[in-house]
Amino acid sequence: MKNILVISGHPNLAQSVANRTILEKLAQALPNAEIRKLDELYPNYHIDVAAEQTALEKADLIVWQFPFYWYSMPALMKKWLDDVFVHGFAHGSSAKLGGKQLLVSITTGAPKGAYAKDAFMRHDVEDYFAALESTAVLCNLDLVSPMYLNGVSYVGRDQAAVAQQQAEAGAYADRLIAQINSL
């Protein structure tokens, strides 16, 4: 069985609907997976680099789960990446991550229809994964096709909207779990 490491980059899971739902389903379906919630571990953004690198070294499959903030990862996740993926560990001649699989899973606030060349964002969602692909290449990680769930914004969160987002996030989590199990 693969050692699965999930890095949750949401800066405040207590306020999340989709990412919290996805992580809850992952924890239920993959009880042996290690799920590291950066917002709980590092509320002051002081990353324990040694602990994070140890967790990464044990993993066969690394899953990054985060909301898409300003066409990238949230600041906490970016700080984690900057601090942990240093030369000599993540890349370079003595790198330790080569050959591991990386699966990037994101949620977006905007609906899927907004992400197209002729739509509001002027880019497909896949276009925004270029930097993550370059990161995987530099670190000799095997990047699995990224996954995403669109349209889970904070606008209009009455009980019906929350229930709908939970249902959509639950169905997405089932697809993510199936992808993880297929690797």
Side-chain angles (χ1 to χ4, degrees):
M1 176 173 241
K2 285 188 183 235
N3 290 322
I4 301 166
L5 174 64
V6 179
I7 303 296
S8 165
H10 196 293
N12 188 350
L13 279 169
Q15 293 182 348
S16 172
V17 173
N19 279 267
R20 188 175 66 233
T21 300
I22 292 164
L23 290 168
E24 288 169 356
K25 287 202 80 167
L26 286 174
Q28 289 174 337
L30 305 167
N32 294 324
E34 181 177 1
I35 300 176
R36 299 185 65 79
K37 299 175 183 175
L38 299 182
D39 67 318
E40 292 176 10
L41 291 169
Y42 309 114
N44 295 319
Y45 285 52
H46 299 292
I47 309 294
D48 182 341
V49 173
E52 296 305 313
Q53 289 179 344
T54 297
L56 285 161
E57 283 184 278
K58 291 183 209 172
D60 300 308
L61 170 63
I62 303 160
V63 179
W64 290 350
Q65 176 63 52
F66 59 90
F68 204 46
Y69 278 22
W70 287 105
Y71 316 104
S72 187
M73 58 183 62
L76 178 58
M77 181 84 181
K78 180 64 166 84
K79 172 104 169 82
W80 176 87
L81 184 66
D82 289 346
D83 289 359
V84 175
F85 275 57
V86 294
H87 184 269
F89 173 74
H91 57 95
S93 62
S94 60
K96 297 173 176 51
L97 298 181
K100 297 177 185 292
Q101 292 179 299
L102 174 63
L103 172 56
V104 178
S105 170
I106 67 167
T107 58
T108 72
K112 179 153 178 57
Y115 291 98
K117 302 269 188 243
D118 61 348
F120 185 78
M121 301 298 178
R122 305 263 192 256
H123 293 278
D124 298 319
V125 171
E126 294 82 3
D127 293 344
Y128 295 102
F129 287 108
L132 299 171
E133 181 181 1
S134 293
T135 299
V137 168
L138 178 66
C139 298
N140 200 28
L141 291 164
D142 178 18
L143 183 63
V144 178
S145 292
M147 296 182 63
Y148 49 90
L149 173 63
N150 299 108
V152 289
S153 70
Y154 290 94
V155 178
R157 284 208 172 161
D158 58 25
Q159 286 302 94
V162 168
Q164 181 178 348
Q165 279 191 10
Q166 287 171 326
E168 290 171 4
Y172 172 83
D174 290 340
R175 294 189 303 275
L176 179 58
I177 292 162
Q179 175 70 355
I180 290 169
N181 286 330
S182 75
L183 300 172

